[in-house]
Amino acid sequence: MMFDRTKKTLSIVSRRFTQTTLVILMLCQTTDAFSSVADAFDRSATQSKLGPKAALMSAAKVGDHVVVVGERGLILRSDDDGKSWRQLPSPVSVTLTGVRFTDDKNGYAIGHGGIVLRTADGGAEWKVQLDGRALAQTLLKKAEASNDEEAIYQAKLLVSDGPDKPFLDMLLLSPDHLIVVGAYGLVLETKDGGKTWASWMNRIQNYFGLHLYSIRKQADRILVAGEQGFVALSTDNGQTFTTLETPYEGSYFTAELLGDSEIVLAGLRGNTLISNDNGADWKNIKNPISASILASYISANGQIIMANQAGILLGLTENRLVPLTRKRLPPLTNILEKANGNVLALSINGPVSIDVGDLK
């Protein structure tokens, strides 16, 4: 049975490799050697005028401006609604995959190599709160103190593997409370702004260490979704998780929670599912475009908007996805609803502002 599972895993990985180049960007360093990863921890991002043309991965509203992050440690800021951008200093050169703010001052960025950055001044200055080297040693010490043989084994693997594990999504619940998820089943929480970290991996039955791409929270529900159809749901604010069975075994790159019991999942090849009963039953959402969906958000009017690798925005309407853009954009990595209701789309070629008038 283990052999069959391994063959199945290799087959899925092979198909994904040929179909999802943006996911490779999310998971892989531009250089694979661990020494290069470690070097990128200690090397500030290069100042460049080409930042607005680079691959960008995440965006956040901060007061009246926007901060975006991307490849090679890039952090950019716009003060004019995305018309122009300037690069902010970044202490690392690893790819940054996510950025969130709780208010005009306090925010975090996450990325490759287990990097967590923090700012307390709206993004003007960033400091490293965690990297893969410190992460592995911290988990090993806690595992040894608990005498948990499985935890010790997993922590030793992290130490021996090297600091190459990327974080891929996060929940920011307060200026000091952060939960991050990432490759190989990583789930970590800090309640003191990154001074100390606790693992949630023993709460989630992710036995094969599948990558976790998305984490969402609504009231006391917390959902994590990842590769090979993996989905886990907590209804007690993260204390315990139940693994959900879904009819699709490909990767889910994004998810949304609505109401008291509604879950929407989307991912590889455009596969999208909806459940109205916390995952007991699922329905396939019709999607006319088979490109992978990498990002989503719930708009101010309650509509779910998604972005795919074909460079198209999609809106969820009556259990079907409808294309919203008249023309194709570059392959999209993320989207953000701006204060005026317009959309900031991030792509492999930089940010693209979409006016409401451009939507059907």
Side-chain angles (χ1 to χ4, degrees), residues 185 187 200-207 212 224 230 232 241 243:
V187 189
W200 278 21
M201 295 191 299
N202 61 337
R203 306 183 190 184
I204 300 173
Q205 296 178 346
N206 184 3
Y207 300 121
L212 302 177
V224 292
F230 183 82
F241 282 83
T243 302

Side-chain angles (χ1 to χ4, degrees), residues 78-348:
S78 176
D79 298 316
D80 56 10
D81 204 31
K83 296 181 179 66
S84 63
W85 298 87
R86 62 185 177 90
Q87 187 175 348
L88 300 175
S90 170
V92 296
S93 294
V94 296
T95 293
L96 299 175
T97 57
V99 62
R100 298 282 188 277
F101 280 78
T102 57
D103 50 51
D104 293 354
K105 299 293 184 182
N106 296 285
Y108 294 82
I110 59 172
H112 287 185
I115 279 289
V116 178
L117 307 179
R118 184 178 186 180
T119 180
D121 56 11
E125 182 180 8
W126 296 82
K127 296 181 179 180
V128 176
Q129 299 299 109
L130 183 68
D131 66 39
R133 298 166 298 193
L135 165 62
Q137 293 296 334
T138 296
L139 292 181
L140 179 57
K141 288 180 180 179
K142 290 191 174 184
E144 289 174 339
S146 68
N147 292 318
D148 185 330
E149 292 185 3
E150 178 63 23
I152 292 172
Y153 173 75
Q154 294 295 336
K156 286 183 175 179
L157 283 180
L158 284 177
V159 173
S160 63
D161 280 350
D164 64 324
K165 309 298 185 291
F167 290 132
L168 301 172
D169 200 10
M170 61 176 158
L171 284 178
L172 183 52
L173 304 178
S174 77
D176 292 322
H177 192 182
L178 175 70
I179 304 166
V180 295
V181 300
Y184 303 99
L186 287 175
V187 189
L188 299 174
E189 178 186 37
T190 180
K191 293 183 177 181
D192 54 15
K195 295 177 183 177
T196 60
W197 295 85
S199 172
W200 278 21
M201 295 191 299
N202 61 337
R203 306 183 190 184
I204 300 173
Q205 296 178 346
N206 184 3
Y207 300 121
F208 290 91
L210 301 175
H211 302 328
L212 302 177
Y213 296 115
S214 182
I215 181 168
R216 295 290 187 271
K217 186 178 190 301
Q218 188 272 334
D220 288 336
R221 293 191 299 161
I222 296 179
L223 182 90
V224 292
E227 69 172 339
Q228 296 185 35
F230 183 82
V231 182
L233 176 68
S234 171
T235 57
D236 55 10
N237 214 26
Q239 296 304 307
T240 61
F241 282 83
T242 299
T243 302
L244 304 182
E245 295 293 331
T246 70
Y248 180 60
E249 295 185 350
S251 294
Y252 298 117
F253 299 128
T254 189
E256 299 296 345
L257 297 173
L258 295 170
D260 296 326
S261 58
E262 189 170 327
I263 302 171
V264 177
L265 304 169
L268 196 65
R269 297 178 178 176
N271 283 278
T272 307
L273 301 174
I274 186 170
S275 172
N276 295 308
D277 52 13
N278 275 334
D281 297 289
W282 296 92
K283 294 180 181 178
N284 287 306
I285 293 176
K286 294 181 179 180
N287 183 358
I289 303 167
S290 60
S292 294
I293 295 171
L294 296 187
S296 63
Y297 72 84
I298 302 173
S299 69
N301 63 10
Q303 184 182 21
I304 294 180
I305 307 297
M306 298 183 178
N308 69 17
Q309 284 185 293
I312 297 173
L313 294 186
L314 302 162
L316 177 58
T317 304
E318 296 180 352
N319 289 347
R320 63 190 179 99
L321 288 172
V322 178
L324 298 178
T325 42
R326 294 190 178 98
K327 61 180 181 179
R328 287 194 176 187
L329 303 169
L332 301 179
T333 58
N334 219 317
I335 45 177
L336 175 73
E337 184 177 35
K338 297 193 285 187
N340 58 6
N342 293 337
V343 177
L344 177 69
L346 303 184
S347 79
I348 62 171

